[in-house]
Amino acid sequence: MASAFPSVLVVGGGPVGLALAGDLGWRGVHCTLIEKGDGTVGQPKMDMVGIRSMEFCRRWGIVDWVEAAGYNRDYPQDCAWVTSLNGYEFGREYFASPSQEQPTAHSPQKRERCPQNFFDPVLQRFARRSPTVSLQFDTELVGFEDKGDRVEATVRDVRTGETRTIRASYLVGCDGGASQVRQSLGIDMVGDAVLTYTTNIIFRCDGLGQLHDKKPGYRFIFIGPEGTWATLVAINGRDQWRFSLIGDAQRRTLTEAEARAAIVRAVGKPFEFEILSMLPWVRRQLVARHYRKGRAFIAGDAAHLTSPTGGFGMNTGLLDAVNLSWKLAAAVQGWGGEHLLDSYEIEQLPVAVRNVGEATENLRRMLSPRILRPDPRVFEGEGPEADAARLEYGERYTEMMRREWFSVGVHLGYVYEGSPIVVPDGTPRPPLQTSTYTPTSRPGSRAPHVWLGEGKSILDLFGKGFVLLRFGEGAPGVEALERAAAKVGMPLRVVDIADEAAARLYERRLVLVRPDGQVAWRGDAIPEDAATLVDTVRGAIAGVAPEVSFEAVIAEA
């Protein structure tokens, strides 16, 4: 039997698929999401919602939901490196609890600790808020065909075995690293298929903090004579923990007895705990060669696989979702040009390459004690020499790890350089930043945050359509641009900004911001051919971007 005809079929109900479905619904697009699981999360694969992702949550009006999702927001977020919880502490990076941490000057939001078992239900609630979205769990993809003017997918109810056909204008595979959609499209992934084999163990222990003398921490890194061998992460800030036993490039299966012994070694003494689940997995450094074939796309882990060191994986996936969503909406609503959907890969693939590479470098720094083994004296007990050795080693490791903890430049400083739907202004590309971020309104960049009033960020103006910001008194006329946009049905709103700080930050009298919050064009006057500007930013003409190969993107990163 055939179902109704949604505009977009999303395959995969993890955070990226749910965010995409929710954002499409927020834009009024009819969307169906299928997920072969029942929607519950036994093993949370992510636990940090980054600063840019939280800006999207602000746009969607769900920040309060994220904050109330279930994590103990009074639990400190320190990261520490130790021999064991009852052994020696080499060093620590101090971070306030989520309830006390303050946003930086560059954003109205801050990162939030919200593991996937909390975040997915928030995103399900967000998606269900839109009457145009249908979430269908316990439904798996059997196969699909691109018919040229539509996609036809065969799906199966995993409980009853019943199959049916869903027809949609577009299909997006958000179905994880082993993506059936990507494999069906014949898209290869490039990179390192095995960084480490790792086993995650979720366990419950009420009062773990009373079993050792260390200050509370969100993440503990365990270093032994063999180097870095495990990590421990607070999953809910109360009684659930994720212990990760980090292997090497050799596959092995961990027994429950071995898992228990490793956890006891990490704590430093026997104690009672309940293992809730065990999950062997592989850290990878892979990016798909292409993000699109015909009417089918891939996003999230289906398009890029990364070590979790740095927290870039899911957050890069949410960038995919927001970038693709407004373009799909434009295509469905009829105002998007024929080249618009091509820009998704051109813009997001380089972002993934950079983020995946940064995560791998973070992993190498974390595991560096395996190569440069610690001085044996750091494990040998008390005494001036051992104390001095631990202090020296701890300071060196602490300094080296700071690049992972402080990465605002990765989260906010991405640039869609060379995009065919961004109009360059001739200014040089700023250098990539990691631990710092310099706000800019240069085309291709995230439109920078500035407060316009109490609780009102300029970012709150962006989202549904294009926004033309007009700064200062006596600003130039924009009627030609308004007429050109109206002629092709492109949503455009003109907003006058009198704030002097905002005008200085944005540098030009006129700045055109896309629905995803990226700057598309800026200048001090509307160009004479306003129609060409409109056609460029909506993807109706090819633009001026040179063709860039996948190999060139890898080489640049």
Side-chain angles (χ1 to χ4, degrees), residues 480-513:
L481 188 69
E482 290 179 300
R483 287 194 300 270
K487 184 176 180 179
V488 295
M490 188 183 89
L492 173 67
R493 184 163 61 104
V494 179
V495 179
D496 289 316
I497 306 292
D499 186 270
E500 293 183 2
R504 288 192 299 270
L505 179 62
Y506 274 75
E507 299 182 300
R508 302 291 190 275
R509 301 296 301 276
L510 301 170
V511 179
L512 183 63
V513 181

Side-chain angles (χ1 to χ4, degrees), residues 188-193 285-289 303 305 356 550-551 554:
D188 295 331
M189 300 195 88
V190 177
D192 195 334
Q285 180 185 4
L286 295 171
V287 179
R289 280 188 175 274
L305 289 166
V356 167
F550 182 89
E551 287 73 17
I554 295 290

